[in-house]
Amino acid sequence: IDNRYSVQLVGIDDSPNEWTSDYKKDYFNLPSGKYIFKVFGKNYQNIISGPLEFYFYIRPPWWKTWWFYFCCSLFLFGIFFLIIKFFINQKVKKRTEVLEKKNIIAKERARISEDMHDSIGSKLTRIAILSDRIVDNLDNNFLKTNSIEDTKMKVSTIGQISREILDGMNEIIWSLSPKYDTVNSLLFFMNHYFNEMFESSNIIAKFDFKEMDNDIILSPEIRRDIFLIFKEAVNNAIKHSRATLISSVVQINGNKIYLEIKDNGIGISEQDIVHIKTSKDVKFGLNNIKMRAAKIGAYLSIISKINEGTTVRLEILLTNTQNNSFEVF
């Protein structure tokens, strides 16, 4: 029986294929979509029948599905959004840094102005007043012995005030200079100040510290507050304790600084310690220490016994920011 066949895959074949006795037809790598497969038949009498139609659907691979395109769109949109957000955050960050720097500069200028006024301006005013009085003494009572002694005392006072001004200027310069923004620099400056305070004193003084192998950078504000706490505690011990021995120990343990100032003096009564811890008055100068310790978030401990002495301990916790620099936590 001489039967012939012709087929057409609509969308792939433009027209039915040539007549053939082969009843099979192969298609490869068909794209996804809907198809109609038509089959025509012809017998030996050339009578054509058909077409028979077969409908089928080829699903696309997952990477060509609508949900994949949707997810890709969301992903690209998310990337675009993150990029825009990143640049906006960078811009805001730079703007914030500029504002913070301006704010820091403004605060620093205000602090320097206050320091200059408090520690230098008032002392220069005293020098000016004493100088005027000396001139008056020389003009009016130069030959009187009591006037000469009074003039000597005023000159001596001027010399003392001048040295205090120089010390104050050195502290201001030290607190501003970036090359001193390290813990080791702070320790050496404290040691220099401590030894200088007892040069002309009968009090035995001991300052114990160990230089760090890996130095730590401190912000100028923190470095200054730590030094002023140390200075206030030492001055307080010298002025009020009547001690024969004053010692100070500084230890660095990880991100903690331990500072201790101890004397063997007359001590502070329990009532006075309670007053210092609760009052805002500057009695004994220890309230200055309390306020500065609270400012930098340090732990302050004052231990004292009558006729046995006083110990001031300070524990400062530092947190690493970046570039090996530290700020108080």
Side-chain angles (χ1 to χ4, degrees):
I1 300 176
D2 188 15
N3 292 329
R4 300 281 179 169
Y5 305 97
S6 177
V7 297
Q8 180 185 10
L9 185 59
V10 178
I12 300 297
D13 299 327
D14 295 332
S15 60
N17 300 152
E18 294 181 356
W19 295 97
T20 176
S21 59
D22 189 358
Y23 56 88
K24 294 187 298 182
K25 178 65 176 178
D26 296 324
Y27 291 92
F28 300 96
N29 298 324
L30 292 176
S32 59
K34 294 180 180 180
Y35 292 94
I36 303 175
F37 185 69
K38 296 181 178 181
V39 181
F40 302 88
K42 184 171 67 172
N43 60 16
Y44 68 96
Q45 294 179 344
N46 290 328
I47 298 174
I48 297 174
S49 61
L52 293 175
E53 295 181 350
F54 172 70
Y55 296 84
F56 65 94
Y57 173 72
I58 297 179
R59 293 186 176 184
W62 61 268
W63 62 86
K64 290 185 178 181
T65 56
W66 67 269
W67 56 265
F68 178 76
Y69 292 138
F70 178 74
C71 291
C72 287
S73 299
L74 284 180
F75 178 76
L76 293 175
F77 177 78
I79 294 295
F80 178 76
F81 174 77
L82 291 176
I83 292 174
I84 296 297
K85 185 178 180 181
F86 173 78
F87 283 108
I88 292 175
N89 287 343
Q90 288 295 109
K91 191 173 182 179
V92 171
K93 184 179 179 182
K94 289 181 179 179
R95 179 63 178 170
T96 303
E97 288 176 353
V98 171
L99 292 176
E100 286 178 351
K101 287 181 180 179
K102 288 183 179 180
N103 188 36
I104 291 173
I105 292 172
K107 287 182 178 179
E108 193 66 15
R109 290 176 63 183
R111 182 188 66 79
I112 295 171
S113 176
E114 183 180 349
D115 286 349
M116 295 289 285
H117 178 270
D118 293 344
S119 64
I120 296 177
S122 59
K123 292 176 182 178
L124 289 174
T125 301
R126 288 182 62 195
I127 289 177
I129 294 172
L130 290 172
S131 299
D132 290 340
R133 289 180 180 176
I134 291 172
V135 172
D136 290 340
N137 288 342
L138 293 175
D139 288 342
N140 301 322
N141 303 301
F142 179 75
L143 297 178
K144 292 185 178 180
T145 303
N146 60 343
S147 178
I148 293 175
E149 293 299 324
D150 182 64
T151 301
K152 287 182 179 179
M153 185 178 297
K154 288 181 174 62
V155 171
S156 177
T157 302
I158 290 175
Q160 180 182 349
I161 295 173
S162 299
R163 286 187 291 272
E164 291 176 359
I165 291 175
L166 287 175
D167 290 339
M169 288 295 296
N170 286 334
E171 287 182 20
I172 292 173
I173 293 171
W174 173 80
S175 67
L176 294 176
S177 178
K179 68 179 181 179
Y180 299 125
D181 284 348
T182 64
V183 171
N184 280 338
S185 172
L186 173 63
L187 296 177
F188 286 122
F189 194 75
M190 291 165 65
N191 183 42
H192 171 74
Y193 175 82
F194 188 83
N195 292 329
E196 192 176 58
M197 289 297 295
F198 296 95
E199 280 182 354
S200 58
S201 172
N202 294 324
I203 301 174
I204 299 173
K206 296 181 181 180
F207 187 86
D208 183 21
F209 76 98
K210 183 178 180 182
E211 184 178 356
M212 295 188 64
D213 295 330
N214 298 320
D215 210 351
I216 297 175
I217 297 174
L218 293 172
S219 67
E221 297 83 5
I222 301 307
R223 178 167 51 92
R224 178 175 177 272
D225 281 327
I226 293 174
F227 172 74
L228 290 179
I229 290 172
F230 170 78
K231 177 182 176 181
E232 192 74 53
V234 172
N235 287 342
N236 184 73
I238 293 172
K239 292 178 181 178
H240 303 291
S241 71
R242 303 179 194 172
T244 59
L245 172 64
I246 298 177
S247 63
S248 180
V249 178
V250 182
Q251 294 180 340
I252 313 294
N253 185 9
N255 64 338
K256 288 183 179 180
I257 298 178
Y258 298 92
L259 172 62
E260 178 182 282
I261 299 93
K262 185 176 182 180
D263 67 69
N264 65 346
I266 60 175
I268 306 173
S269 68
E270 185 176 347
Q271 182 180 359
D272 285 331
I273 291 180
V274 172
H275 177 78
I276 290 168
K277 291 181 178 180
T278 58
S279 173
K280 294 184 178 179
D281 298 333
V282 290
K283 189 175 182 180
F284 295 117
L286 288 177
N287 274 290
N288 287 335
I289 298 176
K290 182 185 74 171
M291 289 185 288
R292 291 190 183 278
K295 176 184 174 184
I296 62 176
Y299 173 76
L300 175 65
S301 172
I302 301 173
I303 303 170
S304 184
K305 293 183 179 180
I306 298 298
N307 297 324
E308 292 186 19
T310 302
T311 301
V312 177
R313 291 194 182 101
L314 196 73
E315 181 179 326
I316 306 158
L317 177 62
L318 305 174
T319 178
N320 197 355
T321 54
Q322 59 181 357
N323 298 329
N324 203 30
S325 62
F326 281 74
E327 294 178 352
V328 171
F329 178 75

